[in-house]
């Protein structure tokens, strides 16, 4: 699956695209978790830019939960930003909006998690 | 095939409190202000306009579901506290004639067996009760809960003919007029789901079942088990977030996984079941509406009807 990376000041912005479901969640996990691990070592936040994600299933949400748990144990944050309306509803119905910080856009997430020094 | 839900609450019976009822009455009175409601018909018509939780309750009895088909004996799934009302209803209907009851047990946790000591047909000579299950301790659990000091009436006092039959998961059986296939599920001490088929109708009873989302093989096995079912009665006790974090390994599932499995299996009707006892009616109704919405926004070609089970719900297939 497509997962583009972009560096900001003290944050890594990852942008998955398409559907994160039973068939792509393993790939998503294999790509995401090592990057989260790397960010933990550097003391960076991870911001997932979800603007190109059309759908996420429970299997995909579980990967996010694993990433958030991994980051939280080291005092770091995994956040999501720019969710499409359908994906935002999935987050709300599954209560993932209570589990992960959700921001309307990447800039808001950056401002909150990695504000300019 | 007719399905009657006698008990739909998970883990422990949960009764409405005086305050819960009063709040419903107050909400209904406020909603009625300015309206003329002066006959029972008008009152009922007005009540129909209100949300489910304002005028009714999902109920508090623990697991018990009855299946009825023309020409087949009564089938019950689990013997939770809902079995008390199921037994009384059956006795009224049988009006002194001998009855035949076939009971399929998901597992032997207390909330699933606690209704049996109050299942009146068990005390009446002439009735036959066959209890099926896959657990080795099937008969022992039923006898144990009626041993001192747990209960004052010993199992041996029950005058009906009571038989136990062990089943093997994955194997189809012809029982009580149905083709019945048990399936092993993930739950503390194991639980078993059942697929019931009769003619062109099929029903899945799948409660107390946790779904591990990282195990594709397991997911596929449930898709196959639910395949094209007319009804899937599904353990939707938690939110997805809770089910895979703080309540992981607690042995229960969630509404999101229910929708996904039914969509992939092309099942027709998802019935949310085994409601969290901590939830009030308004919370269960909100979950129900949200689940309907989830089904709608994630639907591809196949639509799945979504219902939240309540004590007294009857569905005809």
């Amino acid at each position: 699956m497509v997962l583009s990376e972009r560096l900001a000041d003290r944050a890594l912005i990852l942008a998955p695209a398409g559907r994160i479901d039973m068939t792509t969640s393993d790939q998503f996990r294999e790509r995401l978790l090592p990057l989260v691990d790397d960010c933990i070592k550097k003391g960076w936040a991870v911001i997932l830019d979800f603007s190109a994600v059309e759908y996420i299933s429970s299997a995909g949400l579980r990967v996010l939960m694993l990433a958030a748990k991994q980051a939280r144990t080291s005092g770091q944050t995994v956040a999501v930003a720019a969710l499409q309306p359908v994906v935002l509803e999935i987050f709300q119905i599954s209560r993932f909006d209570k589990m992960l910080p959700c921001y309307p856009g990447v800039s808001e997430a950056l401002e909150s998690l990695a504000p300019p020094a | 095939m007719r399905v009657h839900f006698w008990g739909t609450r998970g883990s422990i019976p949960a009764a409405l409190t005086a305050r819960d009822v009063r709040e419903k009455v107050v909400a209904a009175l406020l909603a009625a202000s300015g309206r003329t409601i002066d006959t029972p018909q008008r009152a009922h018509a007005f009540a129909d306009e209100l949300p489910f939780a304002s005028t009714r309750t999902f109920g508090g009895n623990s697991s018990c579901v009855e299946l009825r088909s023309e020409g087949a004996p009564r089938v019950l799934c689990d013997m939770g506290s809902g079995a008390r009302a199921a037994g009384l209803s059956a006795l009224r209907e049988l009006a002194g004639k001998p009855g035949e009851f076939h009971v399929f047990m998901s597992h032997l946790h207390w909330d699933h067996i606690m209704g049996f000591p109050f299942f009146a047909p068990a005390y009446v000579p002439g009735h036959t009760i066959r209890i099926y299950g896959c657990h080795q301790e099937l008969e022992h659990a039923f006898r144990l809960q009626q041993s001192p000091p747990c209960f004052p009436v010993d199992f041996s006092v029950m005058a009906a003919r009571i038989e136990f039959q062990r089943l093997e998961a994955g194997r189809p059986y012809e029982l009580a007029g149905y083709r019945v296939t048990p399936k092993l599920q993930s739950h503390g001490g194991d639980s078993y789901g059942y697929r019931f088929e009769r003619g062109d109708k099929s029903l899945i009873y799948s409660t107390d079942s946790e779904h591990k989302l990282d195990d594709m093989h397991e997911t596929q096995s449930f898709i196959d088990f639910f395949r094209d079912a007319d009804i899937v009665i599904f353990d939707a006790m938690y939110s997805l977030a809770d089910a895979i974090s703080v309540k992981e390994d607690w042995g229960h599932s969630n509404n999101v996984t229910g929708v996904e499995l039914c969509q992939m299996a092309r099942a027709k009707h998802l019935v949310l079941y085994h409601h969290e006892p901590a939830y009030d009616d308004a919370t269960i109704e909100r979950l129900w509406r949200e689940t309907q919405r989830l089904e709608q926004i994630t639907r591809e070609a196949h639509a799945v009807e979504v219902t939240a089970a309540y004590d007294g719900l009857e569905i005809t297939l």
Side-chain angles (χ1 to χ4, degrees):
Chain A
M1 75 171 301
V2 178
L3 183 72
S4 55
E5 301 172 31
R6 182 159 66 88
L7 271 179
D9 188 25
R10 289 177 293 126
L12 178 66
I13 302 159
L14 298 169
R19 292 173 65 86
I20 308 173
D21 57 18
M22 199 169 85
T23 57
T24 56
S25 62
D26 274 355
Q27 221 184 335
F28 182 48
R29 179 172 46 82
E30 281 160 21
R31 294 283 308 280
L32 179 64
L33 296 190
L35 291 168
V36 170
D37 206 32
D38 196 38
C39 286
I40 289 169
K41 285 176 194 147
K42 291 174 177 159
W44 293 355
V46 175
I47 297 166
L48 286 151
D49 174 357
F50 259 44
S51 56
V53 173
E54 296 155 14
Y55 169 77
I56 185 162
S57 75
S58 55
L61 289 167
R62 184 176 175 276
V63 175
L64 293 183
M65 193 272 294
L66 292 175
K69 212 190 257 183
Q70 190 177 330
R72 211 174 293 137
T73 52
S74 306
Q76 295 300 317
T77 305
V78 171
V80 283
L83 288 88
Q84 293 189 18
V86 164
V87 177
L88 177 61
E89 273 199 79
I90 295 172
F91 267 66
Q92 289 164 341
I93 292 168
S94 61
R95 306 288 183 263
F96 262 71
D97 61 331
K98 307 270 187 283
M99 183 173 270
L100 295 176
C102 299
Y103 295 92
V106 172
S107 55
E108 287 90 342
L110 277 171
E111 205 173 300
S112 167
L113 300 172
Chain B
M1 199 187 297
R2 254 186 319 128
V3 191
H4 190 109
F5 292 81
W6 293 101
T8 59
R9 192 64 71 153
S11 301
I12 189 166
L16 276 182
T17 64
R19 185 180 169 166
D20 294 333
V21 175
R22 190 176 172 89
E23 280 177 6
K24 286 175 193 283
V25 173
V26 168
L29 288 170
L30 285 172
S33 63
R35 303 273 295 260
T36 304
I37 301 167
D38 52 3
T39 64
Q41 291 79 5
R42 281 185 184 155
H44 278 292
F46 171 70
D48 286 344
E49 294 172 21
L50 299 177
F52 181 96
S54 299
T55 57
R56 285 179 276 181
T57 179
F58 288 91
N61 275 317
S62 67
S63 301
C64 184
V65 174
E66 182 176 4
L67 270 65
R68 299 288 298 276
S69 289
E70 196 68 40
R74 284 174 171 76
V75 162
L76 290 160
C77 295
D78 282 332
M79 275 280 149
S81 67
R84 189 187 64 83
L88 292 175
S89 167
L91 287 185
R92 271 194 301 273
E93 207 178 303
L94 287 164
K97 284 180 282 188
E100 194 184 319
F101 302 85
H102 295 254
V103 181
F104 291 84
M105 296 300 303
S106 65
H107 64 311
L108 305 169
H109 285 166
W110 190 33
D111 55 316
H112 293 257
I113 60 172
M114 58 167 45
F116 192 67
F118 300 91
F119 186 64
Y123 294 91
V124 182
H127 295 307
T128 303
I129 302 167
R130 291 207 177 88
I131 302 174
Y132 307 91
C134 300
H135 290 81
Q136 198 179 348
E137 312 86 353
L138 178 66
E139 181 168 353
H140 174 68
F142 276 82
R143 290 185 178 276
L144 182 68
Q145 76 165 341
Q146 286 186 244
S147 307
C150 299
F151 198 73
V153 184
D154 193 77
F155 187 91
S156 59
V157 172
M158 292 176 146
R161 181 175 171 186
I162 303 171
E163 299 167 347
F164 292 88
Q165 186 178 331
R166 291 271 310 285
L167 304 177
E168 205 179 298
R171 193 182 138 190
Y173 295 84
E174 298 296 332
L175 296 167
Y178 298 84
R179 166 164 282 222
V180 187
T181 311
K183 177 173 179 20
L184 176 65
Q185 304 178 135
S186 175
H187 191 71
D190 293 339
S191 76
Y192 295 86
Y194 293 93
R195 183 182 176 100
F196 295 89
E197 294 166 292
R198 183 176 166 90
D200 61 348
K201 300 295 179 193
S202 52
L203 175 143
I204 307 294
Y205 182 74
S206 176
T207 192
D208 296 65
S209 176
E210 182 167 358
H211 296 272
K212 297 289 184 187
L213 305 172
D214 55 344
D215 186 341
M216 288 239 323
H217 175 74
E218 194 225 67
T219 302
Q220 188 58 52
S221 77
F222 275 93
I223 295 169
D224 294 340
F225 188 57
F226 290 3
R227 179 84 61 206
D228 298 322
D230 291 283
I231 285 196
V232 175
I233 300 168
F234 189 83
D235 171 359
M237 192 163 173
Y238 303 140
S239 68
L240 174 65
D242 278 351
I244 64 174
S245 58
V246 288
K247 292 173 181 172
E248 190 175 19
D249 296 326
W250 286 23
H252 296 285
S253 192
N254 62 87
N255 55 342
V256 177
T257 302
V259 168
E260 289 177 359
L261 287 173
C262 285
Q263 285 173 333
M264 290 187 281
R266 301 183 67 81
K268 295 181 185 70
H269 193 164
L270 167 66
V271 180
L272 308 174
Y273 184 68
H274 204 271
H275 304 304
E276 161 66 69
Y279 289 166
D280 62 14
D281 287 321
T283 304
I284 298 174
E285 180 159 24
R286 193 174 70 241
L287 284 170
W288 174 19
R289 302 303 174 200
E290 286 177 346
T291 312
Q292 287 176 318
R293 175 71 185 152
L294 179 73
E295 186 280 330
Q296 196 180 38
I297 61 174
T298 58
R299 186 188 302 164
E300 292 185 319
H302 175 75
V304 180
E305 185 179 351
V306 179
T307 300
Y310 58 88
D311 298 5
L313 170 67
E314 196 159 283
I315 299 173
T316 302
L317 278 68

